[in-house]
Amino acid sequence: MLEIPREILDAVITQAQEGFQLEVCGIMGGTGNRVASRYPMTNTDASNEHFMMDPKEQFAVVKAMRAAGEEMLVIYHSHPESPARPSQEDIRLALTPNVCHLIVSLENREEPVAKAFRIAAGVVEPVEINII
């Protein structure tokens, strides 16, 4: 189970809506299974079908999380026009171990859907989200 504060999840959904029609992305930090912080990232691919995080931003975020005593818990991104499930590309590029992947779908823009997954060696497992 992944615990995400309501305000952090709302901020991710707002980022996805404001970034529509492109995929937006970011990282969440925390401890154990509880998210404590959100770091919006730049999608350097500027695409509505995939994302790539800026390596300099990633490095700065990892340093900030370490300084805060946090670890990377979640890599998130949006799907502007498709369901909240990992695409084949998402699965292929899920190379960071021990993190959850949160996908926000704006397929129905009036009712965004957020789902989390663990992806390892091509295997996708749903992760329950507890909004706190």
Side-chain angles (χ1 to χ4, degrees):
M1 178 186 308
L2 182 64
E3 295 182 341
I4 304 176
R6 164 63 66 193
E7 61 272 13
I8 290 179
L9 184 58
D10 287 348
V12 170
I13 291 169
T14 297
Q15 179 188 356
Q17 290 171 328
E18 290 175 350
F20 185 85
Q21 297 179 353
L22 302 178
E23 286 196 7
V24 301
C25 56
I27 294 172
M28 294 181 193
T31 55
N33 66 341
R34 188 176 199 146
V35 170
S37 58
R38 174 184 79 98
Y39 302 89
M41 305 288 286
T42 302
N43 177 356
T44 59
D45 285 350
S47 169
N48 68 342
E49 296 180 345
H50 52 87
F51 72 97
M52 180 64 63
M53 293 182 185
D54 181 302
K56 289 180 185 176
E57 286 182 356
Q58 283 181 294
F59 183 72
V61 165
V62 169
K63 284 180 66 175
M65 284 188 295
R66 283 186 186 148
E70 298 175 350
E71 57 189 324
M72 185 184 304
L73 297 183
V74 178
I75 295 172
Y76 70 85
H77 72 282
S78 63
H79 281 181
E81 300 169 352
S82 59
R85 65 174 178 249
S87 67
Q88 288 302 313
E89 183 169 339
D90 293 336
I91 295 167
R92 184 175 58 82
L93 296 176
L95 303 174
T96 306
N98 305 315
V99 300
C100 288
H101 295 266
L102 180 81
I103 300 173
V104 174
S105 171
L106 297 179
E107 189 173 37
N108 177 351
R109 291 197 62 203
E110 302 302 316
E111 296 181 29
V113 174
K115 294 185 178 178
F117 305 89
R118 287 215 182 266
I119 306 171
V123 177
V124 178
E125 296 180 4
V127 174
E128 182 181 346
I129 300 173
N130 182 23
I131 301 169
I132 55 175

